[in-house]
Amino acid sequence: MVSRTRRPVLRPALALGAASLALAALAAPAAYAQTTDADTLRQMRQELDALRADQAAAKAAEQARARRMDALAAQLARASGESVVQTPPIEQIPAQASFPRSDEGRKFEIYGFAQADYVQDFKRVNPAWDDTLRPSRIPTTGDFGSNGQSIISVRQSRFGVQAQQPVLGEDLYVKFEFDLFGVGVDEGQTTFRLRHAYGSWGPLLAGQTNSVFMDGDIFPNTIDYWGPAGMVFLRNPQVRYTFKSGGSQFAVALEKPGNDIDPGNIRTFDEDLAGSIQNDEKLPDLTAHWRYADDWGHVQLAGILRRVGFDTTDTVGHEPKGHKMGWGLNLTSNIKLFEKDVIHLGVVYGEGIASYMNDGGMDLGPKGQLVVLPDGTLTGVRADVVPLLGLTAYYDHYWSDEWSSSIGWSQTKVDNLSFQAGDAFQTGQYASVNLLWAPHKRIMMGGEFLWGQREDNDGSKGEDARLQFSFKYAFSSDDFR
């Protein structure tokens, strides 16, 4: 009986105890959360900030390492005779970059620059070419108007894309690049001009790029667009094979033919006939070069063989017509001095190679003595390739890491044929000196003095002098890794 009277009292007590324990259990996390907010979360934030700082330092170190690798790769490429543009595989690009992700052995880069040129000309050249100094565009008789013209241009600005990836055990490299300097039918205009459009896979290259007959590395550190007149300079569609061994390189190519034909004094006897003479390009040009590079610089010997032909439109059998064999040898070298200074040297000689020169001359011209037969037929004149000599000597000097100068002279000299006209181009001279400031690899500005002279077949001369000031701002997607 006693147990029955006590049981009702124990049950409420047990229930009250269980409820108290449950409330204590619920209250414990809240108390722990308050402790976490005050102490542990502060420690967690400090630890997270430290990890973020470590990550930023590691990223900066990786970027510095990548830049050093790129510099060493460029030096190695120059020493082995490879194009500096065709850099070896780069490190992996972070996924958060603003351009496509690149893995080991792959590269994708968007690059270019905006450049403004202010030219103060003291005389005057052909207005379609007043943004640059080409001796062949200097008048020798008459003029193009008042002297002392002021020109501001953005035509040197450039945009390009290049990509690289391993394919079937060989590097596949593709490049597309253009500027805004219109030539040909677009001369004088600010419009798209294709510079490079080619791909290479292992030793095989196809597309438009520097001719194998050319050595682009002797182009000096000038800001004038066209540059030295007496050097070989042509970006040409081609199919090329390159063999490399140590510091030596041998390349051979079939290139697009292009003939400059001078009808000469035929114009004075038959203007219609002279206007009907055109190129006849039945075979591609054959070019080859051997190059050796070492720590002191490089030397390159290049050669060319080409068929230089012509025929006549709207005549029976397209007569008169014919062709000659053109040939040329181009010996060039860069000699390194001190840490950065370079001497650029080049001598080229050949017959029928003017279309490969940077400025001046014709590939094919008339020679002989014209005889008019009783029936009105012209005879005694035949076509022949025109001999040409080109010389280039420039010195690039670096006063410091930021300041540099380039000074030099170049000449194209043509041995005119006997039936070329008196106003045919004979000699073009080009000289320049500058002072440039580059506080960063993406910024350059400076001034340049230029002088040029043209002499014709009959001895007539013309010259020009000018000052150019340029401002260049470059970019590369590599900067945003």
Side-chain angles (χ1 to χ4, degrees), residues 264-335:
N265 282 322
I266 294 175
R267 297 188 189 94
T268 62
F269 294 90
D270 192 333
E271 185 68 35
D272 292 337
L273 175 62
S276 299
I277 295 174
Q278 64 178 4
N279 299 346
D280 180 30
E281 301 163 350
K282 287 186 169 62
L283 294 174
D285 296 342
L286 175 64
T287 58
H289 75 228
W290 170 82
R291 179 186 180 109
Y292 178 76
D294 208 335
D295 293 339
W296 56 266
H298 80 269
V299 61
Q300 178 174 303
L301 178 62
I304 184 172
L305 289 175
R306 58 196 313 250
R307 179 188 184 274
V308 185
F310 76 101
D311 62 14
T312 309
T313 60
D314 301 325
T315 61
V316 178
H318 301 296
E319 295 286 349
K321 64 181 179 181
H323 70 274
K324 288 288 184 176
M325 178 66 71
W327 64 274
L329 292 174
N330 184 26
L331 179 63
T332 55
S333 180
N334 276 357
I335 301 173

Coordinates of all heavy atoms in Angstrom, one line a residue, residues 264-335:
G264 N 60.1 50.1 -120.1 CA 61.2 51.1 -120.5 C 60.7 52.0 -121.6 O 59.6 52.5 -121.6
N265 N 61.6 52.3 -122.5 CA 61.4 53.2 -123.6 C 60.4 52.7 -124.7 O 60.1 53.5 -125.6 CB 62.7 53.6 -124.3 CG 63.5 54.6 -123.4 OD1 62.9 55.5 -122.8 ND2 64.8 54.5 -123.4
I266 N 60.0 51.5 -124.5 CA 58.9 51.0 -125.5 C 57.7 51.9 -125.4 O 57.0 52.1 -126.4 CB 58.6 49.6 -125.1 CG1 59.7 48.6 -125.4 CG2 57.3 49.1 -125.9 CD1 59.5 47.2 -125.0
R267 N 57.5 52.6 -124.3 CA 56.4 53.5 -124.1 C 56.4 54.6 -125.2 O 55.4 55.1 -125.6 CB 56.3 54.1 -122.7 CG 56.1 53.1 -121.6 CD 55.9 53.9 -120.3 NE 56.0 53.0 -119.1 CZ 57.0 52.8 -118.4 NH1 58.2 53.3 -118.7 NH2 57.0 52.0 -117.3
T268 N 57.6 55.1 -125.5 CA 57.8 56.2 -126.4 C 57.5 55.8 -127.8 O 57.2 56.7 -128.7 CB 59.2 56.8 -126.3 OG1 60.1 55.8 -126.7 CG2 59.5 57.2 -124.9
F269 N 57.5 54.5 -128.2 CA 57.2 54.1 -129.5 C 55.8 53.5 -129.7 O 55.2 53.6 -130.7 CB 58.3 53.1 -130.0 CG 59.7 53.7 -130.1 CD1 60.5 53.7 -129.0 CD2 60.1 54.2 -131.3 CE1 61.8 54.2 -129.1 CE2 61.4 54.8 -131.4 CZ 62.2 54.7 -130.3
D270 N 55.4 52.8 -128.7 CA 54.1 52.1 -128.8 C 53.5 52.0 -127.3 O 53.7 51.1 -126.6 CB 54.2 50.7 -129.4 CG 52.9 50.1 -129.8 OD1 51.9 50.5 -129.1 OD2 52.8 49.3 -130.7
E271 N 52.7 53.0 -127.0 CA 52.1 53.1 -125.6 C 51.2 51.9 -125.4 O 51.2 51.3 -124.3 CB 51.4 54.4 -125.4 CG 50.9 54.6 -124.0 CD 52.0 54.8 -123.0 OE1 53.0 55.4 -123.3 OE2 51.8 54.3 -121.8
D272 N 50.4 51.5 -126.4 CA 49.5 50.4 -126.2 C 50.3 49.1 -126.0 O 49.9 48.3 -125.1 CB 48.6 50.3 -127.5 CG 47.6 51.4 -127.6 OD1 47.3 52.1 -126.6 OD2 47.2 51.7 -128.7
L273 N 51.3 48.9 -126.7 CA 52.1 47.7 -126.5 C 52.7 47.7 -125.1 O 52.7 46.6 -124.4 CB 53.2 47.6 -127.6 CG 54.2 46.4 -127.4 CD1 53.5 45.1 -127.5 CD2 55.4 46.6 -128.4
A274 N 53.3 48.8 -124.7 CA 53.9 48.8 -123.4 C 52.9 48.6 -122.3 O 53.2 47.9 -121.3 CB 54.5 50.2 -123.2
G275 N 51.6 49.0 -122.5 CA 50.6 48.8 -121.5 C 50.0 47.4 -121.5 O 49.3 47.0 -120.6
S276 N 50.3 46.6 -122.6 CA 49.8 45.3 -122.7 C 50.8 44.2 -122.1 O 50.4 43.1 -122.0 CB 49.5 44.9 -124.1 OG 48.5 45.8 -124.7
I277 N 52.0 44.6 -121.8 CA 53.0 43.7 -121.3 C 52.7 43.4 -119.9 O 52.4 44.3 -119.1 CB 54.4 44.3 -121.4 CG1 54.8 44.4 -122.9 CG2 55.4 43.4 -120.7 CD1 56.1 45.1 -123.1
Q278 N 52.7 42.1 -119.5 CA 52.3 41.7 -118.2 C 53.2 40.5 -117.7 O 54.0 40.0 -118.5 CB 50.8 41.2 -118.2 CG 50.6 39.9 -119.1 CD 49.2 39.4 -119.0 OE1 48.3 40.0 -118.4 NE2 48.9 38.3 -119.7
N279 N 53.0 40.2 -116.4 CA 53.8 39.1 -115.8 C 53.4 37.7 -116.4 O 52.2 37.5 -116.8 CB 53.6 39.0 -114.3 CG 54.0 40.3 -113.6 OD1 54.7 41.1 -114.2 ND2 53.6 40.4 -112.4
D280 N 54.3 36.8 -116.5 CA 54.0 35.4 -116.9 C 54.7 34.6 -115.8 O 56.0 34.4 -115.9 CB 54.6 35.1 -118.3 CG 54.3 33.7 -118.7 OD1 53.3 33.1 -118.3 OD2 55.1 33.1 -119.5
E281 N 54.0 34.0 -114.9 CA 54.5 33.3 -113.8 C 54.1 31.9 -113.8 O 53.2 31.4 -113.2 CB 54.0 34.0 -112.5 CG 54.4 35.5 -112.4 CD 53.5 36.3 -111.4 OE1 52.6 35.7 -110.9 OE2 53.9 37.5 -111.2
K282 N 54.9 31.1 -114.5 CA 54.6 29.7 -114.7 C 55.2 28.8 -113.6 O 54.7 27.6 -113.5 CB 55.1 29.2 -116.1 CG 54.3 29.7 -117.3 CD 54.8 29.1 -118.6 CE 53.8 29.4 -119.7 NZ 53.7 30.8 -120.0
L283 N 56.2 29.2 -112.9 CA 56.8 28.4 -111.9 C 57.0 29.2 -110.6 O 57.2 30.4 -110.6 CB 58.2 28.0 -112.4 CG 58.3 27.0 -113.6 CD1 59.7 26.8 -114.0 CD2 57.6 25.7 -113.3
P284 N 56.9 28.5 -109.5 CA 57.2 29.1 -108.2 C 58.7 29.4 -108.0 O 59.5 28.9 -108.7 CB 56.7 28.1 -107.1 CG 56.9 26.8 -107.8 CD 56.6 27.0 -109.3
D285 N 59.0 30.4 -107.1 CA 60.4 30.7 -106.8 C 60.9 29.7 -105.9 O 60.2 29.2 -104.9 CB 60.4 32.1 -106.2 CG 60.0 33.2 -107.1 OD1 59.9 32.9 -108.4 OD2 59.7 34.3 -106.7
L286 N 62.2 29.3 -106.1 CA 62.9 28.3 -105.2 C 63.8 29.1 -104.3 O 64.7 29.8 -104.8 CB 63.6 27.3 -106.0 CG 64.5 26.3 -105.2 CD1 63.6 25.4 -104.3 CD2 65.3 25.5 -106.2
T287 N 63.6 29.0 -103.0 CA 64.5 29.7 -102.1 C 65.1 28.8 -101.1 O 64.5 27.7 -100.8 CB 63.7 30.8 -101.3 OG1 62.6 30.2 -100.6 CG2 63.2 31.9 -102.3
A288 N 66.2 29.1 -100.5 CA 66.9 28.3 -99.5 C 67.8 29.1 -98.7 O 68.3 30.2 -99.1 CB 67.6 27.1 -100.1
H289 N 68.0 28.7 -97.4 CA 69.1 29.4 -96.6 C 69.7 28.4 -95.6 O 69.1 27.4 -95.2 CB 68.5 30.6 -95.9 CG 67.7 30.3 -94.7 ND1 66.4 30.9 -94.5 CD2 67.8 29.5 -93.6 CE1 65.9 30.5 -93.4 NE2 66.7 29.7 -92.8
W290 N 70.9 28.7 -95.3 CA 71.7 28.1 -94.2 C 72.0 29.1 -93.2 O 72.4 30.2 -93.5 CB 73.0 27.4 -94.7 CG 73.8 26.9 -93.6 CD1 73.8 25.8 -92.9 CD2 75.0 27.7 -93.0 NE1 74.7 25.7 -91.9 CE2 75.5 26.8 -92.0 CE3 75.5 28.9 -93.3 CZ2 76.6 27.2 -91.2 CZ3 76.6 29.3 -92.5 CH2 77.2 28.4 -91.5
R291 N 71.8 28.7 -91.9 CA 72.0 29.7 -90.8 C 72.7 29.0 -89.7 O 72.4 27.9 -89.3 CB 70.6 30.2 -90.3 CG 70.6 31.2 -89.2 CD 69.2 31.5 -88.7 NE 69.1 32.4 -87.7 CZ 68.7 33.7 -87.8 NH1 68.3 34.1 -88.9 NH2 68.6 34.5 -86.7
Y292 N 73.7 29.8 -89.1 CA 74.4 29.3 -87.9 C 74.3 30.3 -86.8 O 74.6 31.5 -87.1 CB 75.8 29.0 -88.2 CG 76.6 28.5 -87.0 CD1 76.4 27.2 -86.5 CD2 77.4 29.4 -86.3 CE1 77.1 26.8 -85.4 CE2 78.1 28.9 -85.1 CZ 77.9 27.6 -84.7 OH 78.6 27.2 -83.6
A293 N 73.9 29.9 -85.6 CA 73.7 30.8 -84.5 C 74.5 30.3 -83.3 O 74.6 29.1 -83.0 CB 72.2 31.0 -84.1
D294 N 75.1 31.3 -82.6 CA 75.8 31.0 -81.4 C 75.7 32.2 -80.4 O 74.9 33.1 -80.7 CB 77.3 30.8 -81.7 CG 78.0 29.8 -80.7 OD1 77.5 29.7 -79.6 OD2 79.0 29.1 -81.1
D295 N 76.4 32.1 -79.3 CA 76.3 33.2 -78.3 C 76.7 34.6 -78.9 O 76.2 35.6 -78.4 CB 77.2 32.9 -77.1 CG 76.7 31.7 -76.3 OD1 75.5 31.4 -76.5 OD2 77.5 31.1 -75.6
W296 N 77.6 34.6 -79.9 CA 78.0 35.9 -80.4 C 77.0 36.5 -81.4 O 77.2 37.6 -81.8 CB 79.4 35.7 -81.2 CG 79.3 34.6 -82.2 CD1 79.7 33.3 -82.1 CD2 78.9 34.8 -83.6 NE1 79.5 32.6 -83.3 CE2 79.0 33.5 -84.2 CE3 78.5 35.8 -84.3 CZ2 78.7 33.3 -85.5 CZ3 78.1 35.6 -85.7 CH2 78.2 34.4 -86.3
G297 N 76.0 35.7 -81.9 CA 75.1 36.2 -82.9 C 74.8 35.1 -83.9 O 74.7 33.9 -83.5
H298 N 74.6 35.5 -85.1 CA 74.3 34.5 -86.2 C 74.8 35.0 -87.5 O 75.1 36.2 -87.7 CB 72.8 34.2 -86.2 CG 72.0 35.2 -87.0 ND1 71.5 36.3 -86.4 CD2 71.8 35.3 -88.3 CE1 70.9 37.1 -87.3 NE2 71.0 36.5 -88.5
V299 N 75.0 34.0 -88.5 CA 75.3 34.4 -89.8 C 74.3 33.5 -90.7 O 74.0 32.4 -90.4 CB 76.8 34.1 -90.2 CG1 77.1 32.6 -90.0 CG2 77.1 34.5 -91.6
Q300 N 73.9 34.1 -91.8 CA 72.9 33.4 -92.7 C 73.3 33.7 -94.1 O 73.6 34.8 -94.5 CB 71.5 33.8 -92.4 CG 70.5 33.2 -93.3 CD 69.0 33.5 -93.0 OE1 68.6 33.3 -91.8 NE2 68.3 34.1 -93.9
L301 N 73.3 32.6 -94.9 CA 73.5 32.7 -96.4 C 72.3 32.2 -97.1 O 71.9 31.0 -96.9 CB 74.8 32.0 -96.8 CG 75.0 32.0 -98.3 CD1 75.3 33.4 -98.8 CD2 76.2 31.1 -98.7
A302 N 71.6 33.0 -97.9 CA 70.4 32.6 -98.5 C 70.5 32.7 -100.0 O 71.3 33.6 -100.5 CB 69.2 33.4 -98.1
G303 N 69.8 31.9 -100.8 CA 69.8 32.0 -102.2 C 68.5 31.8 -102.8 O 67.5 31.4 -102.2
I304 N 68.3 32.3 -104.1 CA 67.0 32.2 -104.8 C 67.3 31.9 -106.2 O 68.2 32.4 -106.8 CB 66.2 33.5 -104.6 CG1 64.8 33.4 -105.2 CG2 67.0 34.7 -105.2 CD1 63.9 34.6 -104.9
L305 N 66.4 31.1 -106.8 CA 66.3 30.9 -108.3 C 64.9 31.1 -108.7 O 64.0 30.6 -108.0 CB 66.8 29.4 -108.6 CG 68.3 29.1 -108.5 CD1 68.5 27.6 -108.8 CD2 69.1 30.0 -109.4
R306 N 64.7 31.8 -109.8 CA 63.3 32.1 -110.2 C 63.2 32.4 -111.7 O 64.2 32.8 -112.3 CB 62.8 33.4 -109.4 CG 63.6 34.6 -109.6 CD 63.2 35.7 -108.5 NE 61.8 35.8 -108.3 CZ 61.1 37.0 -108.7 NH1 61.8 38.0 -109.3 NH2 59.9 37.1 -108.5
R307 N 62.1 32.0 -112.2 CA 61.7 32.3 -113.6 C 61.0 33.6 -113.7 O 59.9 33.8 -113.1 CB 60.9 31.1 -114.2 CG 60.4 31.3 -115.6 CD 59.4 30.3 -116.0 NE 59.1 30.3 -117.4 CZ 58.1 31.1 -117.9 NH1 57.5 32.0 -117.1 NH2 57.8 31.1 -119.2
V308 N 61.6 34.6 -114.4 CA 61.0 35.9 -114.5 C 60.6 36.0 -116.0 O 61.4 36.1 -116.9 CB 62.1 37.0 -114.2 CG1 61.4 38.4 -114.2 CG2 62.7 36.7 -112.8
G309 N 59.2 35.9 -116.2 CA 58.7 35.9 -117.5 C 57.7 37.0 -117.8 O 57.2 37.7 -116.9
F310 N 57.4 37.2 -119.1 CA 56.4 38.2 -119.5 C 55.8 37.7 -120.8 O 56.3 36.9 -121.5 CB 57.1 39.6 -119.7 CG 57.8 39.6 -121.0 CD1 57.2 40.3 -122.2 CD2 59.1 39.1 -121.2 CE1 57.9 40.4 -123.4 CE2 59.8 39.2 -122.4 CZ 59.2 39.8 -123.5
D311 N 54.6 38.2 -121.0 CA 53.9 38.0 -122.3 C 53.0 39.3 -122.5 O 53.1 40.2 -121.8 CB 53.1 36.7 -122.4 CG 52.0 36.6 -121.3 OD1 51.6 37.7 -120.7 OD2 51.4 35.5 -121.1
T312 N 52.3 39.2 -123.6 CA 51.5 40.4 -124.0 C 50.0 40.0 -124.3 O 49.8 39.0 -124.9 CB 52.1 41.0 -125.3 OG1 53.5 41.2 -125.2 CG2 51.4 42.3 -125.7
T313 N 49.1 40.8 -123.8 CA 47.7 40.5 -123.9 C 47.2 41.0 -125.3 O 47.8 41.9 -125.9 CB 46.9 41.2 -122.8 OG1 47.1 42.6 -122.9 CG2 47.3 40.7 -121.5
D314 N 46.2 40.3 -125.8 CA 45.5 40.7 -127.0 C 46.4 40.8 -128.3 O 46.3 41.6 -129.1 CB 44.8 42.1 -126.9 CG 43.8 42.1 -125.7 OD1 43.1 41.1 -125.5 OD2 43.7 43.2 -125.0
T315 N 47.3 39.8 -128.3 CA 48.2 39.7 -129.5 C 48.2 38.2 -129.9 O 47.9 37.3 -129.1 CB 49.6 40.2 -129.3 OG1 50.2 39.4 -128.2 CG2 49.7 41.7 -128.9
V316 N 48.6 38.0 -131.2 CA 48.7 36.6 -131.6 C 49.8 35.9 -130.9 O 51.0 36.3 -130.9 CB 48.9 36.6 -133.2 CG1 49.1 35.1 -133.7 CG2 47.8 37.3 -133.9
G317 N 49.5 34.8 -130.3 CA 50.5 34.0 -129.6 C 51.0 34.7 -128.3 O 52.0 34.3 -127.8
H318 N 50.3 35.8 -127.9 CA 50.8 36.6 -126.8 C 52.2 37.1 -127.0 O 52.9 37.3 -126.0 CB 50.6 35.8 -125.5 CG 49.2 35.4 -125.2 ND1 48.2 36.2 -125.0 CD2 48.7 34.1 -125.2 CE1 47.1 35.6 -124.8 NE2 47.4 34.3 -124.9
E319 N 52.6 37.4 -128.2 CA 53.9 37.9 -128.6 C 53.9 39.4 -128.4 O 52.8 40.1 -128.8 CB 54.3 37.5 -130.0 CG 54.5 36.0 -130.2 CD 55.8 35.5 -129.5 OE1 56.6 36.4 -129.1 OE2 56.0 34.3 -129.4
P320 N 54.9 40.1 -128.1 CA 56.2 39.4 -127.6 C 56.1 38.8 -126.3 O 55.3 39.3 -125.4 CB 57.2 40.6 -127.6 CG 56.4 41.8 -127.4 CD 55.0 41.5 -128.1
K321 N 56.8 37.8 -126.0 CA 56.9 37.1 -124.8 C 58.3 36.5 -124.6 O 59.0 36.3 -125.5 CB 55.8 36.0 -124.7 CG 55.9 34.9 -125.6 CD 54.8 33.9 -125.5 CE 54.9 32.7 -126.5 NZ 53.8 31.8 -126.3
G322 N 58.5 36.1 -123.3 CA 59.8 35.4 -123.0 C 60.0 35.3 -121.5 O 59.2 35.7 -120.7
H323 N 61.2 34.8 -121.2 CA 61.5 34.7 -119.8 C 63.0 34.6 -119.6 O 63.7 34.2 -120.5 CB 60.8 33.5 -119.1 CG 61.4 32.1 -119.6 ND1 60.9 31.5 -120.7 CD2 62.3 31.3 -119.1 CE1 61.6 30.4 -120.9 NE2 62.4 30.3 -119.9
K324 N 63.5 34.9 -118.4 CA 64.9 34.8 -118.0 C 65.0 34.2 -116.6 O 64.0 34.2 -115.8 CB 65.5 36.2 -118.0 CG 65.8 36.8 -119.4 CD 66.9 36.1 -120.1 CE 67.2 36.7 -121.4 NZ 68.3 36.1 -122.1
M325 N 66.2 33.6 -116.3 CA 66.4 33.1 -115.0 C 66.9 34.2 -114.1 O 67.9 34.8 -114.4 CB 67.4 31.9 -115.1 CG 67.8 31.3 -113.8 SD 66.4 30.4 -113.0 CE 66.3 29.0 -114.1
G326 N 66.2 34.3 -113.0 CA 66.7 35.3 -112.0 C 67.4 34.5 -110.8 O 67.0 33.3 -110.6
W327 N 68.3 35.1 -110.2 CA 69.0 34.5 -109.1 C 69.5 35.5 -108.2 O 69.6 36.7 -108.5 CB 70.2 33.7 -109.7 CG 71.3 34.6 -110.3 CD1 71.3 35.0 -111.6 CD2 72.4 35.2 -109.6 NE1 72.4 35.8 -111.8 CE2 73.1 35.9 -110.6 CE3 72.9 35.1 -108.4 CZ2 74.2 36.6 -110.3 CZ3 74.1 35.8 -108.1 CH2 74.7 36.6 -109.0
G328 N 69.9 35.1 -106.9 CA 70.4 36.0 -106.0 C 71.0 35.3 -104.8 O 70.7 34.2 -104.5
L329 N 72.0 36.0 -104.1 CA 72.6 35.5 -102.9 C 72.5 36.7 -101.8 O 72.7 37.8 -102.2 CB 74.1 35.2 -103.1 CG 74.4 34.0 -104.0 CD1 75.9 33.9 -104.2 CD2 73.8 32.7 -103.4
N330 N 72.2 36.3 -100.6 CA 71.9 37.2 -99.5 C 72.7 36.8 -98.3 O 72.4 35.8 -97.7 CB 70.4 37.3 -99.2 CG 70.1 38.4 -98.2 OD1 70.9 39.4 -98.0 ND2 69.0 38.2 -97.5
L331 N 73.8 37.5 -98.0 CA 74.6 37.2 -96.8 C 74.3 38.2 -95.7 O 74.4 39.4 -95.9 CB 76.1 37.3 -97.2 CG 77.1 37.0 -96.0 CD1 76.9 35.6 -95.5 CD2 78.5 37.2 -96.5
T332 N 73.9 37.7 -94.5 CA 73.5 38.6 -93.4 C 74.1 38.1 -92.1 O 74.4 36.9 -92.0 CB 71.9 38.6 -93.3 OG1 71.4 37.3 -93.2 CG2 71.3 39.3 -94.5
S333 N 74.1 39.0 -91.1 CA 74.7 38.6 -89.8 C 74.3 39.6 -88.8 O 74.1 40.8 -89.0 CB 76.2 38.6 -89.9 OG 76.7 38.2 -88.6
N334 N 74.0 39.1 -87.6 CA 73.9 39.9 -86.4 C 75.1 39.6 -85.5 O 75.4 38.4 -85.2 CB 72.6 39.6 -85.6 CG 71.4 40.3 -86.1 OD1 71.5 41.1 -87.0 ND2 70.3 40.1 -85.6
I335 N 75.8 40.6 -85.0 CA 76.9 40.5 -84.1 C 76.6 41.1 -82.8 O 76.4 42.4 -82.7 CB 78.2 41.1 -84.7 CG1 78.5 40.4 -86.1 CG2 79.4 40.9 -83.8 CD1 79.6 41.1 -86.8

